[in-house]
Amino acid sequence: MKQLTSIWLRSAIVAALGLTATAAPAAQASCAANTTCVETRTFAATVTQLRTSKQNNARVLTTTIRFHNKSGKSLTLGYVRDSGIAIDDQGNRFVVPQTNGARGIGEIIGNTFEAKFMLQPGETSDARLEFIWGPGSAPNGTSYDLDLAIREIDSTGADQFRLGAEHALHFANVVEGAAKPAATPPTAVAAADSDPCAGRPGCYNAGPFIAEIQQLMASQVAGAARHQTLTLNVRIRNTSGQPIILAYKPTSSAAIDNLGNRYVYGRPGTHDTSFKGIGIVARNTADPQFTLAPGQSRNAQFNVTRFNAAGQQLGTGYSYDVVLVELEALPSQQLRTLREHSLTFPNLSARSYTTASNGADAAQPEVNVEAVANKVIDLFKKVQKR
């Protein structure tokens, strides 16, 4: 991605300092008799979460699908646009919309594709799909059959790819909540024992980093509409052995409460300003300010809003989703998307959370890449003025 001069310089410095990242492998059980899990020759896919919500006159199914690379080589996958369909036990048909329907995984549209969902051998990562249905007065179902197509994207050389095998995935009788996991093999037990989240609530292990909810605050916005806003303070820690660059993907921040109400980044079609402390990735620009050395932690803040909630019952429990983009700095002074991480935090409440990272940063030496980058940029500007 072409950047402004200051961002080019900063990314070049980041590259010179070796700021690249690779995700840590994670083991996962085979599908066995689990109907919410599908296996192919190269990967297994499991629906780990399904949550229902309503937005205006529409019903939304938010699904988290966990992909596990079974092969002995790196694997890149993409979602085939318009292939996602869900049918409930009442015969109602949900579809994945073309705008913001797929999160954390690249889309394949005809012969064009995004090669950004890459899994190393044994690695596991999540994608998020939302299915929409305009119900009218029809009754809602309670279980769902999901169908979608996932296609492999084969590497033919350095940064060269072509479309490979396509897989039709069918998940039967998926119900709301967390899916029951398949039997856990010994390798998965070992991976769980080394999980830096260690089962803590509000913690998500993305592989090269973990994200932990430090505080969730629910508040009312004054006025006749009486909007409700959730503010989430998230601490992100680099758990890999390499520095990492992360950015927020605009419009990907959303929450659902225990009553099925949706909270979103802002009004549809408006500019996303719901985040603080982290840069974003837009169409032709990327901000690498959120750079973490190995072991380093930093905080970001996200706000989501339920609009026009006057006179309506408010929820007390929440699930939250957000997509963070992992960036790579190239020697050509450009940034590119290495991959996307779809993070899911279920079973949250409005409170403060105790995390293992609290107070730990004071004893950790930090590589202040931004300070070094800014000094070089200032020097560059002075040279330009002469």
Side-chain angles (χ1 to χ4, degrees):
M1 300 179 183
K2 294 185 177 179
Q3 312 297 318
L4 297 173
T5 301
S6 61
I7 293 183
W8 287 354
L9 285 170
R10 186 178 288 107
S11 63
I13 295 164
V14 167
L17 290 174
L19 294 185
T20 58
T22 56
Q28 179 168 304
S30 61
C31 289
N34 184 1
T35 62
T36 64
C37 180
V38 176
E39 283 193 273
T40 72
R41 177 181 56 85
T42 54
F43 67 89
T46 306
V47 179
T48 59
Q49 291 277 340
L50 184 147
R51 288 156 289 155
T52 62
S53 60
K54 53 185 179 290
Q55 186 171 12
N56 298 325
N57 195 42
R59 294 293 182 269
V60 182
L61 302 180
T62 300
T63 61
T64 299
I65 303 178
R66 181 157 295 168
F67 292 89
H68 172 66
N69 182 0
K70 296 167 44 181
S71 71
K73 61 181 182 179
S74 64
L75 178 67
T76 302
L77 301 174
Y79 162 73
V80 179
R81 177 175 279 190
D82 295 329
S83 69
I85 298 171
I87 299 178
D88 68 17
D89 52 9
Q90 299 295 320
N92 302 310
R93 181 185 177 95
F94 298 68
V95 297
V96 177
Q98 293 185 351
T99 302
N100 296 333
R103 299 290 196 176
I105 188 169
E107 289 192 271
I108 297 174
I109 309 169
N111 292 321
T112 64
F113 54 86
E114 300 171 294
K116 62 186 180 183
F117 192 78
M118 182 180 294
L119 302 175
Q120 297 304 317
E123 186 183 0
T124 298
S125 191
D126 292 347
R128 186 171 103 221
L129 294 179
E130 291 189 343
F131 299 79
I132 308 294
W133 168 55
S137 58
N140 299 332
T142 56
S143 67
Y144 307 85
D145 285 357
L146 311 180
D147 289 277
L148 61 139
I150 296 294
R151 193 165 184 179
E152 297 180 31
I153 302 172
D154 299 330
S155 175
T156 59
D159 297 326
Q160 298 294 320
F161 299 91
R162 67 182 177 189
L163 291 173
E166 182 172 318
H167 305 275
L169 308 185
H170 176 75
F171 305 95
N173 301 318
V174 184
V175 297
E176 185 165 9
K180 182 179 179 180
T184 304
T187 52
V189 172
D193 290 342
S194 60
D195 181 2
C197 281
R200 294 190 301 277
C203 184
Y204 185 94
N205 179 16
F209 66 94
I210 63 171
E212 300 180 79
I213 305 295
Q214 288 202 299
Q215 188 179 46
L216 188 157
M217 296 176 289
S219 59
Q220 300 282 352
V221 179
R226 203 181 71 170
H227 311 316
Q228 185 185 28
T229 296
L230 304 180
T231 300
L232 298 103
N233 291 308
V234 183
R235 173 161 290 188
I236 301 166
R237 177 162 61 93
N238 182 357
T239 56
S240 74
Q242 300 290 331
I244 188 172
I245 312 169
L246 298 173
Y248 164 63
K249 184 171 185 178
T251 75
S252 70
S253 183
I256 301 171
D257 68 19
N258 60 305
L259 300 176
N261 302 307
R262 291 180 62 81
Y263 301 71
V264 292
Y265 72 94
R267 299 283 189 183
T270 60
H271 183 63
D272 189 345
T273 59
S274 65
F275 58 96
K276 295 179 181 177
I278 189 169
I280 65 169
V281 174
R283 178 172 297 178
N284 295 313
T285 60
D287 184 347
Q289 64 170 278
F290 202 88
T291 299
L292 299 176
Q296 184 183 359
S297 299
R298 285 178 60 183
N299 279 29
Q301 185 184 97
F302 303 95
N303 292 278
V304 288
T305 301
R306 178 191 175 199
F307 294 97
N308 304 321
Q312 301 179 33
Q313 184 178 356
L314 303 178
T316 56
Y318 309 91
S319 62
Y320 175 67
D321 296 290
V322 67
V323 175
L324 298 184
V325 182
E326 186 177 342
L327 300 173
E328 181 181 33
L330 302 176
S332 58
Q333 299 188 358
Q334 295 179 351
L335 290 172
R336 71 174 178 184
T337 295
L338 185 63
R339 64 162 303 166
E340 293 184 358
H341 299 272
S342 178
L343 279 56
T344 299
F345 302 90
N347 305 320
L348 300 176
S349 58
R351 64 182 179 89
S352 296
Y353 290 77
T354 301
T355 70
S357 299
N358 283 342
D361 290 340
Q364 297 177 356
E366 294 188 358
V367 179
N368 195 340
V369 177
E370 290 301 302
V372 176
N374 289 331
K375 288 181 181 179
V376 176
I377 292 168
D378 291 340
L379 179 61
F380 179 82
K381 290 179 179 179
K382 291 179 181 178
V383 172
Q384 281 187 316
K385 292 179 180 179
R386 292 179 181 176

